[in-house]
Amino acid sequence: MSAEIPKDSWSGTVRTVTLGATPAEGGTRSHVVTVGGQKTLPFMHFEQVAPNRPVVAVEIKDRCPEDWSPLLLEVWGDAAISPAAWAKQAEAAGAHVLVLALSLTGDDGKPTTPQAAVAATKAVLEASGLPLLVFGPGQAEADNELLVAVAEATKGERIALGICEDKNYRTIVAAALANGHCVTARSPMDVNLAKQLNILIHDMGLPLDRILMDPTTGALGYGIEYGYSVMERLRLAALQGDAMTQLPMIVTPGFEAWKTKESKVGRDVPEAWGDWRERAITWETLTAVTLIESGADIVVLRHPESVRRVRQAIDDLMTVPETV
Amino acid sequence: MALSGIQIYKLLPQTNCKDCGFPTCLAFAMKLAAKQVELAACPHVGDDAKAQLSEASEPPVRLVSLKSNGYEVKAGNEVVLFRHEKTFYNKPGLFIRLRDTESPDEIKTRVAAADGYKVIYVGRELALDGFAVEAASRTPAAFSAAINAVRQISHRPLILISRDPAIMAAGLRLVDGERPLMVGADAANWQAMGDLAKQHGAALAVTADTLDGLADLTVKLKDLGVQDLVLDPTAQRLGASLALNTQIRRLALRKNFRPLGYPVIAFPGDADEPAQESILAAHAIAKYAGFIVLDHFAPETAYPLLVLRENIFTDPQKPIQVQPGVYEINNPNADSPVLVTTNFSITYFSVANEVESSGLPAWLVVTDAEGMSVLTAWAAGKFDAERIAKAIKTFNVADKVSVKRVVLPGHVAVLSGELENELPDWEIRVGPREAVDLPAFIKQSL
Ligand code: SF4
């Protein structure tokens, strides 16, 4: 009894996006990282071997994030008070790329200044040769002010600026255009809204190979199934030839998982939740791996042990089995 | 593959005799295609047609259920590759493996911990499904002792693991009257294992490391008369498992390839490193396993896996919702704060659980946001000032409190201006973005 393996052949291909630029390309990165390029659903190597692997980004902050879970502050220790030290430690922990997430306010409680944002970004670029993404604090005015300054000060580094949303993308996209950077485009778990935002950004003249789309996800237990299915649908649409969905996907399981009570809190929780540290890391890891299987090209993580486990899972997923 | 009404019609006598209670054979065929009647309602259908029809009406992935006293675990009957195409139906059973090289006391301790484990998630009680006992000692006596030890503690369904028919027979004798899963049959022992499965009414897993090998075995065993089969593709790594499970599901659904139309069993405990076990198990939940056997039980990994299983097997067409209304938390009175959220059940339970466990009394106004979370509903226009105001008014919240002050989720701070216009005699306050920060906010700011 011989089974003929059903192989899909798709007309569409996911575009590639390259982050970072080496000295030869006008930047200072030690190497570049390329994501995307798939012609199959995730890891269907028996149809065609994927040209690029999913990558792990580690999120670091410009100042110590006091509202983060104590588990995270503990594990990063003193590094968390210095972006440069944190960048080095994240690289040592296995990050393929870094995400520098800027804070709304500085240590003095006053709004983060563009000068401070630029200083933090430069410190990170000097400390680590990894490609970089820089996210604003998540408020339109502050995002625009800080990201424009960062974009100008890092011209040619091909960083990714985030996060563009339908209510605020023009300034960020213009800054990326003028300085040779990429952007991340976030839409709220909806295939059509994701497409729409990609179109708006592309219409401003930014080439599609400089846009990463972030379809948003929920953490395990907090809506992961919505993010999961939207990503599967976006990837299917891309392979079916819908050009405006053919972008690599970035998601932030670290951010999502670490804001859940399960990860954040260790006291006064049900006994059935078990050991706090292992639960929190499992929460982040399972969220990330589940999303990688549904099509994520970049997962942004927070805990070094999650980085180690997710990298191992990616290695496993990229191994082309001989028996198949 | 299901036949259309017309295809079924061609197999019927086409005499329109009405004995089935329908005016025509075609009408009956249509009902049959819609699975609203049984073929047996037509007394005149020939044996040949009967065979064809019943073959075609079998689900592409056979439903296999394991039973024990009071428990049942079902796998199979799946009809899609992606949950958004319809839904996934039968949550994969989660089993904990014991080896008969452990002492009966060790086994009992481990079984007791896992058997009694339950955890509440969005108002539901979640638990593991059963136990797998492996004859690692290769002796019938040790195997029997281990099974007896498990049965002294737990009555949940069992998976029995041995390639030796004599040892398997010893184990099966102890669980007569149940339907365990035997693991398993291979190219060498399939006949003896098949006979045992028939004799004891057990389900039987076939083990081979290629799809052709698996298909060979299921065909032979089906001919022998064993129907309830399970596939063990023995993939120990993520990549291979994803490829094999996908191919099996595709062959069953798209090609109606009967020899692989069975549920799959996965053994994440075979991972090289314990930390990878939960990852492999999570993968097996999302990617097509019907039974999952873990080597380690710990609450901190069982809980996330049980939650993932709930999430992936939620029907995408029916988001889990709670009834809109005013919910009383910790016996609120006229001075208690009024909090607003949406009727997406995960959102509701996060907020309600936080406030409840803080001991602080509050009125929680759940608005009809069509079962979406705060941010998603807001983006989709299902959670705006108008809807919130309408909820406050229809649920007569003003009659319950002396201070007309309502707390909005921090994610929709932008709505506060509009809401002031909609509710002129109310004070609008912006609360935290995350539920976990609510108790501190209530204590400090209200
Ligand atoms: S009983 Fe059978 S033959 Fe008679 S009308 Fe119904 S389907 Fe047709």
Side-chain angles (χ1 to χ4, degrees):
Chain A
M1 184 52 73
S2 185
E4 198 196 320
I5 307 298
K7 292 187 181 175
D8 289 336
S9 87
W10 303 96
S11 60
T13 306
V14 179
R15 284 171 184 277
T16 55
V17 171
T18 296
L19 296 173
T22 60
E25 297 152 333
T28 62
R29 304 298 78 208
S30 60
H31 62 282
V32 301
V33 166
T34 299
V35 290
Q38 299 90 334
K39 292 176 186 296
T40 72
L41 286 168
F43 314 107
M44 295 294 113
H45 305 302
F46 59 92
E47 291 169 352
Q48 184 149 2
V49 175
N52 297 299
R53 48 176 54 214
V55 307
V56 171
V58 172
E59 179 181 358
I60 62 174
K61 301 280 294 181
D62 52 345
R63 61 178 280 243
C64 183
E66 267 129 38
D67 58 338
W68 278 24
S69 170
L71 287 176
L72 290 168
L73 298 179
E74 209 177 272
V75 69
W76 292 113
D78 288 342
I81 52 175
S82 145
W86 201 346
K88 279 208 179 87
Q89 209 162 306
E91 181 171 358
H96 297 114
V97 296
L98 297 174
V99 168
L100 173 64
L102 299 170
S103 311
L104 196 55
T105 53
D107 286 331
D108 52 6
K110 295 195 185 121
T112 305
T113 61
Q115 293 77 4
V118 167
T121 308
K122 291 209 150 164
V124 170
L125 289 173
E126 269 161 38
S128 161
L130 297 180
L132 179 67
L133 299 86
V134 180
F135 290 175
Q139 282 191 7
E141 251 172 69
D143 283 2
N144 294 343
E145 193 189 6
L146 302 182
L147 291 175
V148 167
V150 166
E152 285 168 358
T154 58
K155 189 172 177 128
E157 291 283 12
R158 206 175 168 98
I159 61 178
L161 304 169
I163 296 171
C164 296
E165 295 182 274
D166 65 343
K167 296 202 169 48
N168 188 53
Y169 65 92
R170 300 189 143 270
T171 308
I172 302 173
V173 173
L177 258 175
N179 298 288
H181 298 310
C182 307
V183 300
T184 75
R186 174 176 283 180
S187 46
M189 290 201 239
D190 183 288
V191 171
N192 290 322
L193 294 178
K195 274 178 69 171
Q196 214 171 50
L197 182 57
N198 297 340
I199 292 169
L200 290 171
I201 292 173
H202 182 54
D203 280 352
M204 282 184 67
L206 194 66
L208 289 172
D209 66 0
R210 282 160 66 185
I211 308 173
L212 296 165
M213 67 177 166
D214 174 356
T216 314
T217 186
L220 175 61
Y222 295 84
I224 191 176
E225 66 271 34
Y226 295 88
Y228 180 85
S229 285
V230 165
M231 289 171 75
E232 286 198 329
R233 290 171 55 203
L234 279 166
R235 188 47 54 88
L236 282 165
L239 296 174
Q240 280 156 5
D242 184 342
M244 286 299 155
T245 59
Q246 291 170 337
L247 306 177
M249 293 190 273
I250 178 171
V251 275
T252 52
F255 167 75
E256 298 294 340
W258 284 98
K259 75 181 181 188
T260 68
K261 186 170 187 176
E262 281 81 351
S263 300
K264 204 171 175 181
V265 185
R267 276 186 301 140
D268 298 328
V269 300
E271 207 177 306
W273 287 14
D275 177 73
W276 179 24
R277 178 180 178 274
E278 181 59 28
R279 175 180 75 240
I281 291 167
T282 305
W283 218 265
E284 181 176 34
T285 305
L286 295 198
T287 305
V289 174
T290 305
L291 295 172
I292 286 172
E293 286 204 349
S294 71
D297 295 283
I298 303 178
V299 289
V300 187
L301 302 180
R302 285 186 172 175
H303 197 288
E305 173 61 12
S306 307
V307 172
R308 190 187 71 79
R309 294 184 189 181
V310 172
R311 279 190 56 138
Q312 197 179 334
I314 293 172
D315 286 347
D316 249 12
L317 284 165
M318 290 301 293
T319 307
V320 181
E322 294 118 38
T323 54
V324 182
Chain B
M1 209 161 296
L3 296 180
S4 70
I6 300 295
Q7 286 168 321
I8 294 174
Y9 171 71
K10 289 184 182 148
L11 297 169
L12 294 175
Q14 303 174 17
T15 55
N16 300 337
C17 74
K18 301 189 178 58
D19 288 352
C20 57
F22 292 90
T24 62
C25 294
L26 185 60
F28 180 71
M30 291 299 175
K31 288 284 172 191
L32 205 55
K35 297 197 163 41
Q36 289 164 347
V37 290
E38 295 283 325
L39 178 63
C42 167
H44 311 296
V45 64
D47 283 346
D48 236 25
K50 223 180 250 170
Q52 276 188 55
L53 281 166
S54 72
E55 169 88 352
S57 66
E58 273 175 33
V61 182
R62 184 178 172 84
L63 183 73
V64 172
S65 79
L66 310 187
K67 284 185 190 154
S68 63
N69 192 2
Y71 294 95
E72 182 171 18
V73 183
K74 291 187 202 165
N77 251 2
E78 301 299 339
V79 296
V80 291
L81 279 153
F82 305 102
R83 56 186 293 283
H84 67 260
E85 293 174 321
K86 187 158 177 65
T87 186
F88 292 164
Y89 287 102
N90 288 304
K91 293 172 197 164
L94 288 167
F95 291 73
I96 304 293
R97 173 158 57 183
L98 295 312
R99 292 185 169 84
D100 65 359
T101 40
E102 300 167 66
S103 77
D105 281 343
E106 281 171 323
I107 290 177
K108 279 193 237 174
T109 312
R110 292 222 290 135
V111 170
D115 186 62
Y117 180 74
K118 45 182 190 263
V119 63
I120 307 286
Y121 169 69
V122 295
R124 285 181 237 168
E125 189 177 286
L126 309 180
L128 300 168
D129 298 284
F131 296 91
V133 186
E134 179 167 340
S137 69
R138 297 167 197 273
T139 65
F143 192 44
S144 303
I147 293 169
N148 279 327
V150 174
R151 269 291 169 262
Q152 279 171 40
I153 305 290
S154 169
H155 295 288
R156 296 180 191 273
L158 293 184
I159 296 174
L160 304 182
I161 306 173
S162 171
R163 299 279 181 94
D164 181 334
I167 296 177
M168 184 62 83
L172 285 168
R173 273 197 292 277
L174 300 174
V175 292
D176 237 9
E178 302 185 16
R179 189 188 298 143
L181 171 62
M182 305 158 52
V183 180
D186 57 28
N189 69 12
W190 65 270
Q191 212 146 3
M193 285 291 190
D195 287 337
L196 281 174
K198 278 204 302 191
Q199 198 181 326
H200 289 271
L204 177 59
V206 299
T207 301
D209 58 9
T210 64
L211 296 183
D212 287 348
L214 291 169
D216 261 345
L217 285 167
T218 62
V219 169
K220 285 182 193 152
L221 284 160
K222 198 178 171 192
D223 285 346
L224 196 68
V226 186
Q227 307 278 353
D228 287 326
L229 297 168
V230 169
L231 308 172
D232 172 15
T234 67
Q236 285 173 20
R237 310 194 78 118
L238 279 177
S241 172
L242 178 61
L244 286 167
N245 289 4
T246 303
Q247 290 168 353
I248 289 168
R249 178 70 64 94
R250 279 187 190 174
L251 280 161
L253 297 188
R254 294 198 195 150
K255 306 282 178 193
N256 202 25
F257 185 69
R258 294 290 180 195
L260 293 179
Y262 300 98
V264 167
I265 188 169
F267 292 90
D270 289 339
D272 304 340
E273 160 188 12
Q276 289 294 313
E277 184 179 25
S278 59
I279 293 181
L280 275 158
H283 148 80
I285 288 170
K287 292 296 176 186
Y288 315 140
F291 301 99
I292 299 172
V293 180
L294 301 167
D295 278 12
H296 303 89
F297 164 75
E300 56 271 17
T301 47
Y303 175 41
L305 288 173
L306 287 165
V307 169
L308 181 67
R309 188 173 73 164
E310 290 299 298
N311 293 165
I312 294 293
F313 281 75
T314 297
D315 185 344
Q317 266 74 47
K318 288 186 229 143
I320 32 175
Q321 305 186 11
V322 293
Q323 192 67 28
V326 185
Y327 288 76
E328 298 182 10
I329 299 180
N330 298 329
N331 303 313
N333 60 27
D335 297 327
S336 305
V338 177
L339 314 173
V340 170
T341 192
T342 74
N343 69 327
F344 178 42
S345 74
I346 293 168
T347 305
Y348 164 79
F349 279 104
S350 322
V351 174
N353 288 346
E354 276 318 320
V355 182
E356 204 173 287
S357 57
S358 74
L360 299 164
W363 303 96
L364 180 55
V365 178
V366 173
T367 57
D368 181 3
E370 299 180 17
M372 292 184 223
S373 68
V374 168
L375 261 184
T376 322
W378 170 73
K382 310 291 183 194
F383 187 57
D384 53 18
E386 207 178 313
R387 286 196 185 223
I388 296 169
K390 194 175 149 214
I392 301 260
K393 287 177 194 157
T394 22
F395 303 138
N396 300 319
V397 183
D399 301 344
K400 301 185 196 298
V401 291
S402 52
V403 192
K404 289 192 190 163
R405 185 178 59 191
V406 56
V407 180
L408 276 182
H411 279 301
V412 291
V414 290
L415 294 179
S416 52
E418 286 168 53
L419 194 56
E420 271 165 16
N421 295 338
E422 296 274 347
L423 296 171
D425 45 350
W426 283 75
E427 181 194 345
I428 314 297
R429 296 284 292 271
V430 176
R433 285 168 170 238
E434 301 304 331
V436 66
D437 302 319
L438 257 175
F441 173 83
I442 296 175
K443 274 185 223 154
Q444 284 157 22
S445 312
L446 295 182

